[in-house]
């Protein structure tokens, strides 16, 4: 006798804060499944280093397609040395495996600006889910670590840095004193960070090509970029621990990233989930020697929603092994006015009296004042790209995403 089991897959509403204010998504309650390579493609980016513009454009086309489809992709042959990554990873484990009181020498409470260590369950990525079962160290951009300024004296005299950047220099070098008990930690992390910065700047040129803009379109607004990075540690299940596997119990709550794009290195443990256009959770499972790249809120805004800043989260770590990930968040100079490449004359937020620069947006978000869109291009409705897409019979992305409310 055969028994047929019918499972009913329902939908639920997921709410979160983003650079667009509070947004919601209609989400399937089906368990996460593996992503297909169409949903999260694997892009060979060696062409971005080619002398031949056609090779660079070929990568750009793949970036554009991925940015429009799911907003997530893997990159391989990215040029970041694998030994250097492994060294950063090993040093990350060394740090997190120390006693709590040692880690707290660089507690975030000791710093003014989002630098330092956050203990597990002290962050809350999404208020409708559990606190995050994660620890992390955050580092803000410091020009001294930027390979572009290697030829300047270090520390770099303020007079050599453009004045509009001064309020946005949020690196706090005291963090290194707090990890001096781990010889080699700083060197390992800085080497990794510098490589990510170089890669991200190159990719910004590819993203410009992807928008059919001159390759150097963003160059002068990524000189002192929003280039902040974290090392995250998701503890493994303790022996005998009964891990609560309900979807509300998370490693990191559902969110969108708020800069331009994110480069994420992850170890082989897995746990990153991505909400696809149909509102299904799909797994961005680890692929050796790759980074995961995702489009973030500012790129979505800057492209007038043509590219999608995709909701993602990290499920609870059910393996006995801890998971390490190293996300690197990249955006334009915080002092830079956002440009809408598709309506070059658009001035963001002027009509609404809302902030026009990335830094002000970040401040608003950190103060949690953000309950309405913080970035808005006044000519969004008539945006060239939307118009072109419609003319070509393609629906703009946001008309496809199951967006319940928000923008
Ligand atoms: O750890 C991960 O895989 C994702 C981290 C992330 O999404 C974030 O820090 O914004
Ligand atoms: Fe994220």
């Amino acid at each position: 006798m055969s028994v047929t089991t019918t499972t009913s897959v329902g939908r639920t509403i997921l709410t979160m804060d983003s650079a667009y204010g509070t947004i919601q998504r209609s989400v399937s309650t089906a368990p996460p499944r593996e992503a297909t390579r169409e949903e999260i493609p694997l892009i060979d980016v060696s062409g971005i280093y080619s002398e031949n513009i056609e090779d660079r454009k070929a990568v750009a086309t793949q970036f554009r397609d991925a940015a429009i489809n799911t907003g997530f992709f893997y990159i391989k042959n990215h040029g970041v040395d694998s030994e250097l990554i492994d060294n950063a990873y090993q040093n990350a484990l060394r740090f997190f495996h120390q006693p709590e009181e040692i880690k707290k020498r660089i507690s975030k409470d000791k710093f003014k600006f989002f630098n330092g260590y956050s203990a597990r369950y002290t962050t809350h990525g999404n208020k409708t889910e559990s606190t995050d079962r994660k620890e992390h160290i955050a580092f803000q951009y410091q020009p001294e670590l930027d390979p572009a300024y290697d030829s300047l004296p270090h520390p770099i005299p303020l007079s050599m840095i453009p004045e509009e950047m001064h309020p946005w220099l949020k690196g706090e070098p005291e963090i290194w004193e707090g990890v001096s008990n781990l010889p080699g930690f700083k060197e390992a992390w800085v080497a990794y960070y510098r490589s990510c910065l170089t890669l991200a700047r190159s990719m910004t040129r590819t993203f410009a090509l992807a928008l059919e803009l001159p390759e150097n379109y963003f160059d002068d607004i990524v000189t002192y970029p929003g280039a902040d990075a974290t090392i995250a540690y998701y503890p493994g299940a303790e022996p005998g621990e009964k891990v609560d596997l309900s979807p509300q119990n998370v490693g990191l709550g559902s969110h969108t990233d708020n800069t331009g794009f994110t480069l994420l290195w992850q170890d082989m443990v897995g746990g990153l989930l991505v909400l696809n256009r149909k509102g299904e959770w799909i797994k961005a499972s680890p692929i050796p020697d790759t980074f995961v790249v995702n489009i973030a809120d500012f790129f979505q805004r800057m492209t007038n929603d043509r590219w999608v800043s995709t909701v993602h989260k990290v499920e609870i770590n059910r393996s006995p092994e801890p998971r390490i990930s190293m996300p690197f968040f990249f955006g334009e100079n915080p002092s830079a006015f956002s440009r809408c490449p598709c309506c070059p004359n658009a001035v963001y937020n002027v009509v609404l009296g809302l902030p026009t620069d990335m830094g002000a947006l970040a401040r608003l978000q950190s103060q949690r004042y953000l309950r309405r869109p913080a970035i808005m291009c006044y000519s969004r409705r008539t945006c060239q790209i939307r118009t072109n897409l419609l003319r070509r019979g393609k629906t703009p992305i946001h008309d496809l995403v199951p967006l319940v409310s928000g923008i």
Side-chain angles (χ1 to χ4, degrees):
M1 196 179 78
S2 72
V3 178
T4 313
T5 313
T6 319
T7 49
S8 70
V9 171
R11 296 196 78 90
T12 176
I13 302 294
L14 176 65
T15 304
M16 67 222 105
D17 291 337
S18 78
Y20 289 77
T22 302
I23 56 167
Q24 292 184 314
R25 294 286 187 275
S26 165
V27 178
S28 162
T29 55
R33 61 164 172 83
E34 285 301 326
T36 66
R37 279 293 78 82
E38 283 72 41
E39 286 171 318
I40 310 188
L42 172 56
I43 301 178
D44 181 342
V45 293
S46 48
I48 70 176
Y49 302 112
S50 166
E51 307 250 294
N52 182 343
I53 180 73
E54 292 312 318
D55 294 339
R56 303 200 295 275
K57 282 188 176 166
V59 180
T61 305
Q62 296 174 72
F63 276 23
R64 187 198 56 213
D65 291 348
I68 292 173
N69 288 334
T70 308
F72 262 80
F73 51 97
Y74 298 88
I75 56 170
K76 67 174 182 182
N77 296 327
H78 41 67
V80 180
D81 185 75
S82 58
E83 266 179 42
L84 182 153
I85 295 175
D86 192 54
N87 199 15
Y89 165 70
Q90 298 296 346
N91 273 282
L93 284 177
R94 272 171 86 206
F95 176 85
F96 289 108
H97 285 160
Q98 301 181 105
E100 204 62 20
E101 65 272 17
I102 310 259
K103 292 188 268 191
K104 285 197 169 151
R105 284 184 191 157
I106 56 161
S107 170
K108 65 171 181 225
D109 307 331
K110 299 191 174 170
F111 297 94
K112 274 211 313 247
F113 311 111
F114 309 107
N115 287 292
Y117 170 71
S118 297
R120 64 187 80 167
Y121 304 124
T122 62
T123 60
H124 205 171
N126 186 310
K127 291 286 183 289
T128 69
E129 296 165 336
S130 70
T131 51
D132 305 323
R133 185 178 157 114
K134 158 171 97 87
E135 302 172 25
H136 76 258
I137 324 175
F139 303 86
Q140 301 279 315
Y141 174 80
Q142 276 177 252
E144 280 78 9
L145 305 185
D146 189 336
Y149 304 115
D150 279 352
S151 62
L152 299 184
H154 282 47
I156 303 175
L158 217 49
S159 59
M160 299 184 93
I161 297 175
E163 213 174 310
E164 77 265 18
M165 281 312 305
H166 294 182
W168 301 112
L169 298 174
K170 306 252 160 116
E172 293 170 281
E174 310 82 71
I175 199 164
W176 305 122
E177 289 153 31
V179 289
S180 57
N181 65 311
L182 296 176
F185 177 93
K186 175 183 176 186
E187 292 70 19
W189 174 250
V190 167
Y192 170 77
Y193 178 90
R194 285 163 59 90
S195 294
C196 287
L197 191 46
T198 303
L199 171 61
R201 278 207 179 98
S202 305
M203 285 175 57
T204 306
R205 305 188 113 224
T206 316
F207 280 122
L209 287 178
L211 288 161
E212 294 171 16
L213 294 164
E215 210 170 7
N216 64 0
Y217 185 84
F218 298 117
D219 284 4
D220 63 340
I221 54 167
V222 293
T223 47
Y224 294 86
D228 309 324
T230 64
I231 313 177
Y233 175 88
Y234 299 88
E238 306 291 342
E241 183 185 3
K242 208 168 173 320
V243 179
D244 170 3
L245 297 178
S246 67
Q248 263 63 38
N249 194 30
V250 289
L252 169 61
S254 306
H255 66 282
T256 57
D257 294 346
N258 61 31
T259 57
F261 63 94
T262 304
L263 288 178
L264 177 109
W265 181 88
Q266 59 175 334
D267 67 15
M268 294 307 289
V269 173
L272 175 60
L273 302 181
V274 172
L275 194 68
N276 74 5
R277 280 201 282 159
K278 294 188 198 132
E280 300 160 338
W281 287 113
I282 54 174
K283 298 182 187 183
S285 293
I287 302 181
D289 302 322
T290 65
F291 283 91
V292 177
V293 180
N294 65 277
I295 301 298
D297 293 347
F298 252 78
F299 260 13
Q300 177 173 316
R301 180 66 281 159
M302 212 157 47
T303 59
N304 251 342
D305 303 347
R306 189 188 187 191
W307 294 356
V308 63
S309 175
T310 301
V311 175
H312 54 284
K313 69 175 176 181
V314 179
E315 64 183 354
I316 204 79
N317 186 0
R318 49 188 85 186
S319 125
E321 298 300 317
R323 171 174 187 260
I324 295 279
S325 74
M326 302 191 284
F328 177 91
F329 307 99
F330 193 76
E332 55 196 55
N333 297 356
S335 60
F337 279 64
S338 292
R339 296 174 186 172
C340 175
C342 33
C343 1
N345 299 322
V347 179
Y348 286 89
N349 297 333
V350 168
V351 175
L352 298 168
L354 287 169
T356 45
D357 63 67
M358 276 194 67
L361 170 68
R363 197 168 54 237
L364 270 180
Q365 280 182 320
S366 69
Q367 293 168 352
R368 302 211 168 276
Y369 287 161
L370 205 65
R371 287 293 176 272
R372 56 180 178 160
I375 26 179
M376 180 70 75
C377 161
Y378 75 85
S379 58
R380 139 166 215 271
R381 281 176 206 287
T382 54
C383 168
Q384 204 79 56
I385 282 186
R386 287 177 84 85
T387 315
N388 284 345
L389 276 174
L390 288 169
R391 200 178 294 141
R392 281 190 264 136
K394 295 191 179 165
T395 315
I397 186 75
H398 261 283
D399 302 342
L400 296 173
V401 171
L403 183 78
V404 180
S405 70
I407 59 161

